Amino acid sequence: MEENKQAFHSGFVAIVGRPNVGKSTFLNYVVGQKVAIMSDVPQTTRNKIQGIYTTDREQIVFIDTPGIHKAHNKLGDFMVQSAISSLNEVDAVMFMVNADQKRGAGDNYIIERLKKIKNRPIYLVINKIDLVHPDELLPIVDSYRDALDWTEVFPISALQGNNINELLATLSKQMPEGPQYYPSDQVTDHPERFVVSELIREKVLQLTRQEVPHSVAVVIESMKPGKDDLVDISATIIVDRPTQKGIIIGKGGRMLKEIGSRARVDIEHLLGSRVYLELWVKVSEGWRDKQGILQSFGYKKDEY
């Protein structure tokens, strides 16, 4: 007689929330390596980055959406539409908020859109609990309790891992029976070129801080095997003002060299190979409002 085998469960979970609530930090913690860039500059995540969590019993594919916010240009429109569209493609939704920030207009904007979702569990996830005193937590939960009929509320710290295993266990129970969509060792469905470009962009944002806001894109010009088992990568950093170009290059090219040095470490870890990285900086004024340029940088309408 054939032995009963436990059914495999799989599904998709969208992570939504205001910019800079820790969605990327959560995703990277869950999959165990960096697939989404982390920066304290809001709106750093532009594309739907999928992180894949797999055990011998289930597979959860997380969609880390761009933060939903009031758009001010075509790039902003793309980011908001990308986030909202993902809610119709998933088995569950995580609405993530900051424990150290009061509920605001941005949260209410998203909650109104969540109310339109039918027959899907919606979890309120209060992140960054490591930044508040335990006594402050209950009033924060209470401020959201009546906003929506939440399936469950989870206070977590994506940075420290607090309560994330409990959240994953609950999400797993919500996943329907289904196939294993991706191999067990795959943690993202994005091609390596995309992740490499995001790692470079992360270093630009981290090192230049407020001097160069999120109006920066990175295009991988070439990525191929080189001499001595090196991977040769050539990439162009796109900014929309000449002053930003000067900041990124830095005095005597020092800033660009530091960006390249830090990015190379992460890229080598990703590829499992030594890397030769060559960076260029190009000004394309107003690129965020030019549809053709947006598409050439990978922000395509057919993706949302």
Side-chain angles (χ1 to χ4, degrees):
M1 195 171 170
E2 191 176 325
E3 187 180 336
N4 283 334
K5 189 178 180 183
Q6 191 174 11
F8 194 83
H9 291 256
S10 59
F12 296 79
V13 176
I15 313 172
V16 299
R18 281 195 295 171
N20 205 27
V21 294
K23 298 186 291 290
S24 296
T25 308
F26 169 82
L27 188 63
N28 290 331
Y29 181 91
V30 168
V31 303
Q33 60 176 277
K34 187 176 287 185
V35 296
I37 72 170
M38 293 185 289
S39 166
D40 55 7
V41 179
Q43 299 165 24
T44 52
T45 304
R46 292 205 190 122
N47 298 66
K48 295 186 232 177
I49 299 176
Q50 293 185 328
I52 304 158
Y53 170 78
T54 308
T55 72
D56 57 355
R57 296 186 303 275
E58 73 265 310
Q59 184 170 81
I60 304 174
V61 182
F62 289 95
I63 302 173
D64 178 24
T65 63
I68 298 176
H69 62 286
K70 190 173 181 180
H72 299 293
N73 51 43
K74 284 184 180 176
L75 175 59
D77 287 336
F78 170 87
M79 293 162 71
V80 173
Q81 289 301 321
S82 181
I84 293 173
S85 72
S86 68
L87 305 182
N88 299 314
E89 306 165 1
V90 298
D91 299 290
V93 176
M94 287 169 47
F95 174 45
M96 190 173 289
V97 300
N98 267 355
D100 64 336
Q101 291 181 358
K102 289 185 178 179
R103 176 179 163 187
D107 297 306
N108 295 333
Y109 177 91
I110 298 171
I111 289 167
E112 287 306 308
R113 275 139 192 84
L114 294 178
K115 287 178 180 177
K116 297 175 183 177
I117 300 172
K118 305 296 182 187
N119 304 318
R120 285 179 176 83
I122 303 175
Y123 297 93
L124 174 64
V125 179
I126 301 172
N127 190 22
K128 305 186 183 182
I129 59 171
D130 50 298
L131 298 181
V132 298
H133 191 275
D135 293 343
E136 300 174 76
L137 199 52
L138 193 57
I140 296 164
V141 173
D142 286 341
S143 71
Y144 286 95
R145 196 176 296 280
D146 297 330
L148 198 71
D149 186 17
W150 309 107
T151 306
E152 207 165 329
V153 180
F154 281 92
I156 69 163
S157 169
L159 194 63
Q160 299 181 353
N162 299 357
N163 214 24
I164 288 182
N165 287 340
E166 290 78 3
L167 173 56
L168 287 173
T170 299
L171 290 172
S172 295
K173 291 173 187 173
Q174 291 287 350
M175 296 301 106
E177 283 189 29
Q180 183 171 319
Y181 294 102
Y182 300 96
S184 301
D185 60 351
Q186 188 171 341
V187 295
T188 180
D189 76 336
H190 276 297
E192 289 174 338
R193 290 171 73 105
F194 174 82
V195 181
V196 167
S197 72
E198 287 290 270
L199 291 173
I200 296 169
R201 195 161 66 90
E202 175 185 62
K203 305 312 173 194
V204 172
L205 293 169
Q206 286 178 347
L207 287 165
T208 59
R209 297 287 175 175
Q210 300 301 322
E211 296 168 297
V212 179
H214 57 277
S215 56
V216 61
V218 175
V219 177
I220 304 299
E221 307 291 353
S222 67
M223 187 168 158
K224 57 191 178 184
K227 295 178 181 178
D228 303 321
D229 295 325
L230 285 171
V231 177
D232 285 346
I233 301 173
S234 177
T236 302
I237 300 168
I238 312 288
V239 294
D240 62 6
R241 289 202 301 273
T243 52
Q244 294 172 346
K245 179 178 180 179
I247 292 166
I248 288 175
I249 292 173
K251 190 174 181 180
R254 281 198 288 264
M255 177 61 78
L256 189 62
K257 185 177 180 182
E258 182 65 16
I259 290 167
S261 178
R262 292 193 187 189
R264 185 172 49 78
V265 172
D266 279 354
I267 295 168
E268 288 181 340
H269 179 70
L270 171 75
L271 302 180
S273 175
R274 292 189 304 130
V275 167
Y276 174 74
L277 178 62
E278 190 172 30
L279 296 179
W280 307 86
V281 186
K282 177 183 173 183
V283 178
S284 180
E285 294 189 21
W287 71 264
R288 288 178 295 166
D289 276 320
K290 296 174 182 174
Q291 190 64 49
I293 293 178
L294 283 174
Q295 290 190 12
S296 72
F297 292 166
Y299 310 120
K300 296 180 173 64
K301 274 193 172 181
D302 60 7
E303 291 182 357
Y304 62 85

